[in-house]
Amino acid sequence: MSKWIPSWQYVPIDYGQEVGVFENITQKCVFSNNLSGQGLRFRLNNLHSEKPMRIRHGSAALRNRLTGRLSPWMPLTLEGSEELAVEPDSAVYSDEILYPVSHEEDVVLSLYFEDRYSVRSVCTTSTWHSWQSVQYTGDFTRTEALGYTVKSQLVPVLAMDPYPNQFAAGVCEVSVLTEDDVKLIGLFGDSLTHMSYFSDPLTTVLYARFPGKCSVINGGISGNRIGKSHPVLKGVPGEGCQFGPAGRDRFQRDLYHGARPDYVFILEGVNDCSHSIVFQEPDVPGAEDIFEALQDVVRQGRSLGSTVYVSTLPPFGAFGESWRDQAEALRCAYNDLIRSRYDAGGWIDLDRLMRDPDDPHRMQEGMHLGDGVHPNWTGGAKMARAVAEKFFRRL
């Protein structure tokens, strides 16, 4: 029986404000795909927006990773119309494109935003491995352009991020219609997941190990907390809105709208340990509070039929700020609760894997982006290999 399985999926981030403007802009994206099937569809994203989104026209194609061959461009339609009109604060699926898809082919999507569109929500990644996007001034939906539009001019708010990223507007999911017995793997968490230095290497390992047999989707939001909604940061663009609602409240929204994941891997809690202290909130959670929020998410996943795995938090002590000791004590206590009381499924100790042998409160040198918190490509690959060996030696 055929079913729609997400081949690529990220969370549309709510910035709580305009981050840029598209007008006479073509956006082209390439999404890694590991599924074979009979058709494609796209979830068009206008969430968190106050006005309609109108895409003058769009097209999709398939690019073979082995030969570089590009399939014919296929028009994208919505309710039979080539103009893609999406109402404010909504996301809708395009009409299906019936065309054979191979797991050796990546998906190429081109969208032309002719009229002025205020961009308030996009999907982002800090890497270029599992998907890429580029924006051009002009209509290049089915042709190649010689140059691209400078990000700082197009989306100045995103250009202010201290960590380089790329973004995709107007789309948040690619799905394949397949009859194959494939497993959907959902990754859930904060920036350690969202930035993709961990999720991309894991995707690479799993797609090489199980060609055509699995798909990985990313449910991370940078700055997210599992137990509490985002802090209210007065004077900051969006007032912290981009960190999202509490993980326990958004879990089903951000991982289960396309299909039910067979497996979920949760790596979250870093910001629960630090944000309330850093931003001087009146109620700082205890380790028990964070652990109960984790258990809540796990119960949700299991009740929906997913196998749920969790991890301890890698070290983040680094530069001796005044809040680090209190936050680090919370992290250690939370990790101890996972080690001693988590009994709902498998868990992995990424804390022990990533810690400096000479200082258990620091991440190993050469494994992070220089901030002591976020894994770089080397650190993320180390985490990915361990998770793949622990939970995904077979599907």
Side-chain angles (χ1 to χ4, degrees), residues 15-17 157 160 230-243 279:
Y15 288 90
Q17 67 163 64
V157 172
M160 295 166 56
H230 68 84
V232 178
L233 307 178
K234 298 295 185 181
V236 174
E239 297 189 341
C241 192
Q242 70 191 67
F243 295 162
F279 300 122

Short mmCIF file of all heavy atoms in Angstrom, two decimals, residues 15-17 157 160 230-243 279:
data_model
loop_
_atom_site.label_atom_id
_atom_site.label_comp_id
_atom_site.label_asym_id
_atom_site.label_seq_id
_atom_site.Cartn_x
_atom_site.Cartn_y
_atom_site.Cartn_z
N TYR A 15 10.18 33.74 13.79
CA TYR A 15 11.06 34.81 14.25
C TYR A 15 10.31 35.96 14.92
O TYR A 15 10.93 36.88 15.46
CB TYR A 15 11.91 35.34 13.09
CG TYR A 15 12.96 34.35 12.67
CD1 TYR A 15 12.70 33.39 11.70
CD2 TYR A 15 14.22 34.35 13.27
CE1 TYR A 15 13.66 32.46 11.33
CE2 TYR A 15 15.18 33.43 12.91
CZ TYR A 15 14.90 32.49 11.94
OH TYR A 15 15.85 31.56 11.58
N GLY A 16 8.98 35.92 14.85
CA GLY A 16 8.20 36.96 15.50
C GLY A 16 8.32 38.32 14.86
O GLY A 16 7.90 39.32 15.44
N GLN A 17 8.88 38.37 13.67
CA GLN A 17 9.06 39.63 12.96
C GLN A 17 9.48 39.33 11.53
O GLN A 17 9.78 38.18 11.18
CB GLN A 17 10.14 40.48 13.62
CG GLN A 17 11.55 39.87 13.50
CD GLN A 17 12.64 40.87 13.79
OE1 GLN A 17 12.74 41.36 14.88
NE2 GLN A 17 13.45 41.16 12.79
N VAL A 157 18.12 40.04 9.03
CA VAL A 157 18.01 39.51 10.39
C VAL A 157 18.76 38.18 10.51
O VAL A 157 19.49 37.94 11.47
CB VAL A 157 16.54 39.35 10.80
CG1 VAL A 157 16.43 38.61 12.14
CG2 VAL A 157 15.87 40.71 10.91
N MET A 160 22.55 38.35 10.77
CA MET A 160 23.11 38.76 12.05
C MET A 160 23.47 37.57 12.94
O MET A 160 24.14 37.74 13.95
CB MET A 160 22.11 39.65 12.79
CG MET A 160 21.83 40.99 12.10
SD MET A 160 20.36 41.82 12.76
CE MET A 160 20.79 41.90 14.51
N HIS A 230 10.10 29.80 25.24
CA HIS A 230 11.25 30.69 25.10
C HIS A 230 11.22 31.81 26.13
O HIS A 230 10.14 32.29 26.51
CB HIS A 230 11.28 31.28 23.69
CG HIS A 230 10.15 32.23 23.40
ND1 HIS A 230 10.18 33.56 23.75
CD2 HIS A 230 8.96 32.03 22.79
CE1 HIS A 230 9.06 34.16 23.38
NE2 HIS A 230 8.30 33.26 22.78
N PRO A 231 12.38 32.25 26.58
CA PRO A 231 12.42 33.42 27.46
C PRO A 231 11.99 34.66 26.70
O PRO A 231 12.19 34.76 25.48
CB PRO A 231 13.89 33.50 27.88
CG PRO A 231 14.63 32.84 26.76
CD PRO A 231 13.73 31.76 26.26
N VAL A 232 11.38 35.61 27.39
CA VAL A 232 10.99 36.87 26.77
C VAL A 232 12.16 37.84 26.90
O VAL A 232 12.53 38.25 28.01
CB VAL A 232 9.74 37.45 27.43
CG1 VAL A 232 9.38 38.79 26.79
CG2 VAL A 232 8.57 36.48 27.31
N LEU A 233 12.77 38.16 25.77
CA LEU A 233 13.98 38.98 25.75
C LEU A 233 13.63 40.36 25.21
O LEU A 233 13.63 40.59 24.00
CB LEU A 233 15.05 38.31 24.89
CG LEU A 233 15.38 36.85 25.25
CD1 LEU A 233 16.41 36.29 24.29
CD2 LEU A 233 15.87 36.76 26.69
N LYS A 234 13.31 41.27 26.09
CA LYS A 234 12.94 42.62 25.69
C LYS A 234 14.11 43.31 25.01
O LYS A 234 15.26 43.19 25.42
CB LYS A 234 12.51 43.44 26.91
CG LYS A 234 11.27 42.90 27.62
CD LYS A 234 10.04 42.98 26.73
CE LYS A 234 8.78 42.55 27.49
NZ LYS A 234 7.57 42.59 26.63
N GLY A 235 13.81 44.03 23.94
CA GLY A 235 14.84 44.76 23.22
C GLY A 235 15.57 43.95 22.18
O GLY A 235 16.41 44.47 21.45
N VAL A 236 15.27 42.64 22.10
CA VAL A 236 15.89 41.76 21.11
C VAL A 236 14.87 41.52 20.01
O VAL A 236 13.68 41.32 20.29
CB VAL A 236 16.31 40.42 21.76
CG1 VAL A 236 16.82 39.44 20.71
CG2 VAL A 236 17.34 40.66 22.84
N PRO A 237 15.28 41.55 18.72
CA PRO A 237 14.32 41.29 17.64
C PRO A 237 13.55 40.00 17.86
O PRO A 237 14.13 38.94 18.08
CB PRO A 237 15.22 41.20 16.39
CG PRO A 237 16.41 42.04 16.73
CD PRO A 237 16.62 41.86 18.21
N GLY A 238 12.21 40.10 17.84
CA GLY A 238 11.38 38.93 18.07
C GLY A 238 11.22 38.55 19.52
O GLY A 238 10.46 37.65 19.85
N GLU A 239 11.97 39.22 20.42
CA GLU A 239 11.90 39.00 21.87
C GLU A 239 12.09 37.52 22.25
O GLU A 239 11.48 37.02 23.18
CB GLU A 239 10.59 39.53 22.44
CG GLU A 239 10.44 41.04 22.29
CD GLU A 239 9.26 41.60 23.04
OE1 GLU A 239 8.34 40.84 23.39
OE2 GLU A 239 9.25 42.83 23.29
N GLY A 240 12.95 36.83 21.51
CA GLY A 240 13.25 35.43 21.84
C GLY A 240 12.33 34.42 21.21
O GLY A 240 12.48 33.21 21.42
N CYS A 241 11.38 34.90 20.40
CA CYS A 241 10.37 34.03 19.80
C CYS A 241 10.98 32.89 19.00
O CYS A 241 10.43 31.79 18.94
CB CYS A 241 9.45 34.87 18.93
SG CYS A 241 7.95 34.05 18.38
N GLN A 242 12.13 33.13 18.39
CA GLN A 242 12.73 32.13 17.51
C GLN A 242 13.19 30.88 18.25
O GLN A 242 13.47 29.85 17.63
CB GLN A 242 13.92 32.74 16.77
CG GLN A 242 15.13 33.04 17.63
CD GLN A 242 16.15 33.88 16.90
OE1 GLN A 242 15.90 35.04 16.58
NE2 GLN A 242 17.30 33.30 16.63
N PHE A 243 13.27 30.93 19.60
CA PHE A 243 13.63 29.74 20.37
C PHE A 243 12.47 28.76 20.49
O PHE A 243 12.67 27.63 20.91
CB PHE A 243 14.12 30.13 21.76
CG PHE A 243 15.40 30.93 21.77
CD1 PHE A 243 15.76 31.66 22.89
CD2 PHE A 243 16.25 30.96 20.68
CE1 PHE A 243 16.94 32.41 22.92
CE2 PHE A 243 17.42 31.70 20.69
CZ PHE A 243 17.77 32.42 21.82
N PHE A 279 19.26 34.54 31.70
CA PHE A 279 18.29 35.61 31.47
C PHE A 279 17.55 36.01 32.74
O PHE A 279 16.56 36.73 32.68
CB PHE A 279 17.32 35.20 30.37
CG PHE A 279 17.99 34.90 29.05
CD1 PHE A 279 17.86 33.67 28.44
CD2 PHE A 279 18.79 35.86 28.44
CE1 PHE A 279 18.49 33.39 27.23
CE2 PHE A 279 19.41 35.60 27.24
CZ PHE A 279 19.27 34.36 26.63
#
